[in-house]
């Protein structure tokens, strides 16, 4: 049974609040994962800025060393636009370290690469595309679970009691619906859509390949 818990720190997919002890797993991975990824970045910063390594090797270091740590557990994250922006800023920082500066053709001075230039050089889905694709893939798995699975019961459960005052926090399911709207699916009944593995897989791939500003 799902109930409202006062002064909790986590909202589950359909707005269910849980206690501090249950919240630590998700929030701990979310916050600590970012801190560890920053520490990991500084540990390889010398390699990323080295002129002795090819840029494709530096990109591989980023994809295999930094990115998996940064996105660990991202399938369960509930992010705001501000948090997504912070993730993009961090990735752009790493990419600028990899690709270095560019000499301006007009002034002849060195300058930082613009975001569009970074994306063209990187030629891979950005961090938000990766995150949303993984989140949709996990949502499909949860939607196809049986009622005996705890993850499914939390997803479809309805909280009892009175919600605390103030604006409702963004739910994990809200992120899923926003991700689906970005790839062209506006129907609210996404749980039935997830039962069709082929169609759902197509939306997951579309979320990975979608280019957004």
């Amino acid at each position: 049974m799902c109930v409202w818990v006062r002064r909790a720190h986590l909202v589950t997919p359909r707005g269910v609040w849980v206690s501090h002890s249950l919240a630590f797993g998700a929030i701990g991975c979310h916050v600590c994962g970012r801190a560890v990824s920053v520490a990991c970045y500084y540990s390889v910063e010398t390699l990323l800025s080295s002129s002795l390594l090819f840029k494709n090797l530096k990109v591989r270091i980023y994809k295999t060393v930094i990115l998996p740590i940064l996105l660990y557990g991202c399938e369960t994250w509930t992010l705001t636009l501000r948090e997504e922006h912070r993730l993009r800023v961090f990735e752009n920082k790493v990419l600028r370290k990899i690709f270095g500066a560019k000499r301006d053709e007009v002034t002849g001075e060195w300058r930082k690469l613009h975001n569009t230039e970074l994306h063209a050089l990187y030629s891979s889905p950005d961090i938000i595309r990766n995150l949303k694709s993984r989140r949709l893939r996990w949502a499909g798995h949860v939607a196809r679970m049986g009622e005996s699975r705890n993850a499914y019961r939390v997803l479809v459960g309805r909280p009892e009691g009175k919600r605390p005052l103030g604006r409702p926090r963004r739910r994990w399911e809200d992120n899923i619906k926003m991700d689906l709207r970005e790839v062209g699916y506006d129907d609210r009944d996404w749980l039935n859509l997830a039962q069709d593995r082929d169609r759902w897989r197509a939306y997951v791939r579309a979320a990975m390949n979608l280019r957004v500003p």
Side-chain angles (χ1 to χ4, degrees):
M1 180 176 62
C2 302
V3 296
W4 293 109
V5 181
R6 187 181 180 185
R7 300 181 63 85
H9 289 278
L10 179 66
V11 180
T12 50
R14 290 191 178 270
V16 185
W17 292 57
V18 296
S19 63
H20 294 269
S21 58
L22 295 178
F24 178 79
I27 293 182
C29 292
H30 186 27
V31 177
C32 295
R34 291 185 183 182
V36 173
S37 62
V38 172
C40 180
Y41 161 71
Y42 284 112
S43 67
V44 297
E45 183 181 14
T46 304
L47 295 176
L48 298 180
S49 60
S50 174
S51 60
L52 302 178
L53 298 179
F54 293 110
K55 289 182 173 59
N56 58 353
L57 180 58
K58 297 178 184 179
V59 171
R60 184 176 300 179
I61 292 175
Y62 167 62
K63 289 183 177 180
T64 58
V65 177
I66 301 176
L67 194 60
I69 298 176
L70 180 60
L71 293 183
Y72 181 79
C74 67
E75 295 85 354
T76 61
W77 291 357
T78 301
L79 298 181
T80 62
L81 295 178
R82 181 179 180 182
E83 291 171 328
E84 291 182 3
H85 174 72
R86 292 175 64 185
L87 289 173
R88 284 195 177 98
V89 169
F90 175 77
E91 181 175 63
N92 290 340
K93 177 181 179 179
V94 177
L95 294 180
R96 285 191 175 92
K97 181 66 66 173
I98 292 175
F99 295 110
K102 178 181 180 180
R103 185 182 293 275
D104 193 285
E105 297 178 355
V106 178
T107 63
E109 298 179 352
W110 293 95
R111 64 171 177 83
K112 293 182 178 180
L113 292 172
H114 301 311
N115 291 345
T116 54
E117 296 172 327
L118 286 175
H119 296 160
L121 292 172
Y122 185 43
S123 67
S124 295
D126 65 20
I127 188 171
I128 301 302
R129 294 294 99 209
N130 270 284
L131 187 153
K132 293 188 176 185
S133 177
R134 296 184 186 189
R135 189 163 54 194
L136 284 177
R137 184 181 296 110
W138 171 244
H141 291 322
V142 176
R144 291 187 294 269
M145 290 180 181
E147 297 182 356
S148 60
R149 302 288 294 275
N150 291 332
Y152 182 84
R153 291 205 300 267
V154 171
L155 176 62
V156 301
R158 295 291 182 179
E160 297 179 359
K162 185 178 179 181
R163 182 180 61 81
L165 297 177
R167 179 182 178 181
R169 299 189 183 186
R170 176 171 293 183
R171 305 171 302 174
W172 179 80
E173 187 178 15
D174 295 333
N175 277 145
I176 297 299
K177 292 179 179 179
M178 292 174 61
D179 297 343
L180 289 173
R181 282 196 296 268
E182 289 182 0
V183 295
Y185 183 79
D186 295 327
D187 195 344
R188 293 186 177 183
D189 191 10
W190 64 272
L191 292 174
N192 287 334
L193 172 66
Q195 307 306 316
D196 188 337
R197 294 177 180 267
D198 293 333
R199 289 187 61 194
W200 189 261
R201 190 180 297 112
Y203 282 113
V204 172
R205 292 173 179 171
M208 174 67 79
N209 299 323
L210 183 66
R211 301 293 295 182
V212 293

